[in-house]
Amino acid sequence: MSTLVLDNGANFAKIGYSHEKVSVIPNGQFRSKTSRLKTFTASQLDEIKDPSGLFYILPFQKGYLVNWDVQRKVWDHLFGKDMFKVDFADTNIVITEPYFNFSSIQDTMNEILFEEYQFQSALRINAGSLSAHQYFHENNSELCCIVVDSSFSFTHIVPYCRGRKMKEDRVYTEVRALAPVEYQVSVVLPQNPICYPWEGGKLLAENPDFEEMVVTREDYEENGHYVCEEKFDI
């Protein structure tokens, strides 16, 4: 069973199988003044010879996925024969979504992933959680970190302790109790920040407990959106 990791950003999609390298691809469609009758999708942007008069059609507005027609076309392109050739009957997906995502958007994503594409299982997760997972893997002696996720639409600053998101009113008490009196604070900028969450997703897909984190298509067909709400900590 293969696992496809998709950090579905508002500007770029970072995508690749967990056993391969990541590809960074525009998440949108484009039209050019010189090619008004043709729409270019995702990586087809490279085919436009004159980028000076581009019109962007993005699936995200103000940080949330609202244009599902465009997103479907981008995903069709990414999952199709010209890109990742996804065999949905034998593929899991790890996909990111924003913090505080609307339940209506989550429900639509569930339906598209399970009912239209028919992935075998799915894990919806925040990009910041994947970054924290990658950070703790690279720095296994660290107890806590703060992820500054500065992306196309939002900047979120989220504390994690042992890989878990922490609420603001608990941060000082718990970090103070865990850290030595002479603790030091460091700021780490990953070598490739834009792909850091994807690397965390790749790592997560190789976790021995990965099967316990996902919702399978069988679970979804039996329990609907409820099982996703129970499983995913968004």
Side-chain angles (χ1 to χ4, degrees):
M1 184 81 68
S2 299
T3 298
L4 186 69
V5 181
L6 172 56
D7 181 7
N8 197 55
N11 194 22
F12 288 100
K14 286 73 71 178
I15 184 172
Y17 287 103
S18 61
H19 57 279
E20 297 178 354
K21 294 182 179 179
V22 62
S23 296
V24 180
I25 298 169
N27 189 7
Q29 292 188 298
F30 314 90
R31 289 177 185 161
S32 171
K33 288 182 178 179
T34 57
S35 304
R36 283 186 177 274
L37 298 179
K38 184 174 181 181
T39 300
F40 300 86
T41 300
S43 61
Q44 294 174 347
L45 178 64
D46 296 335
E47 300 175 15
I48 299 177
K49 297 180 180 179
D50 180 14
S52 61
L54 280 180
F55 295 89
Y56 287 75
I57 311 169
L58 302 177
F60 281 77
Q61 294 292 332
K62 297 182 179 180
Y64 293 101
L65 207 173
V66 295
N67 192 329
W68 286 103
D69 289 338
V70 173
Q71 189 64 88
R72 278 189 181 91
K73 290 173 183 174
V74 172
W75 286 351
D76 286 346
H77 177 74
L78 295 179
F79 300 157
K81 62 181 181 179
D82 294 330
M83 294 294 295
F84 287 90
K85 304 177 179 65
V86 178
D87 178 4
F88 300 105
D90 193 41
T91 305
N92 310 311
I93 187 168
V94 176
I95 187 168
T96 60
E97 62 176 315
Y99 293 104
F100 315 115
N101 200 8
F102 294 101
S103 59
S104 58
I105 298 176
Q106 294 175 330
D107 291 348
T108 302
M109 183 177 289
N110 294 337
E111 292 167 5
I112 291 174
L113 295 178
F114 285 120
E115 298 178 24
E116 295 187 21
Y117 291 118
Q118 298 194 343
F119 280 99
Q120 291 308 292
S121 70
L123 170 59
R124 295 194 337 258
I125 192 169
N126 306 130
S129 296
L130 294 180
S131 293
H133 185 74
Q134 180 72 12
Y135 175 80
F136 286 120
H137 174 74
E138 295 175 350
N139 304 270
N140 53 27
S141 63
E142 298 288 345
L143 296 178
C144 302
C145 73
I146 293 178
V147 174
V148 180
D149 182 6
S150 188
S151 55
F152 183 73
S153 304
F154 297 123
T155 293
H156 287 108
I157 302 174
V158 185
Y160 288 81
C161 192
R162 299 183 186 275
R164 295 177 300 173
K165 290 196 292 282
M166 298 175 62
K167 296 181 180 179
E168 290 183 11
D169 59 0
R170 294 173 49 196
V171 173
Y172 179 80
T173 302
E174 294 201 21
V175 172
R176 178 66 273 170
L178 289 169
V181 175
E182 65 278 8
Y183 79 97
Q184 295 182 347
V185 175
S186 61
V187 177
V188 177
L189 179 65
Q191 186 175 3
N192 188 357
I194 194 171
C195 295
Y196 202 67
W198 185 91
E199 295 291 346
K202 174 180 179 177
L203 182 67
L204 194 66
E206 299 169 355
N207 191 303
D209 298 326
F210 179 71
E211 291 185 2
E212 299 177 10
M213 303 176 190
V214 303
V215 170
T216 65
R217 184 156 60 93
E218 183 179 358
D219 288 340
Y220 175 79
E221 290 174 348
E222 182 176 347
N223 300 292
H225 299 301
Y226 172 78
V227 68
C228 298
E229 294 173 5
E230 289 293 305
K231 179 77 75 167
F232 302 139
D233 176 25
I234 302 300

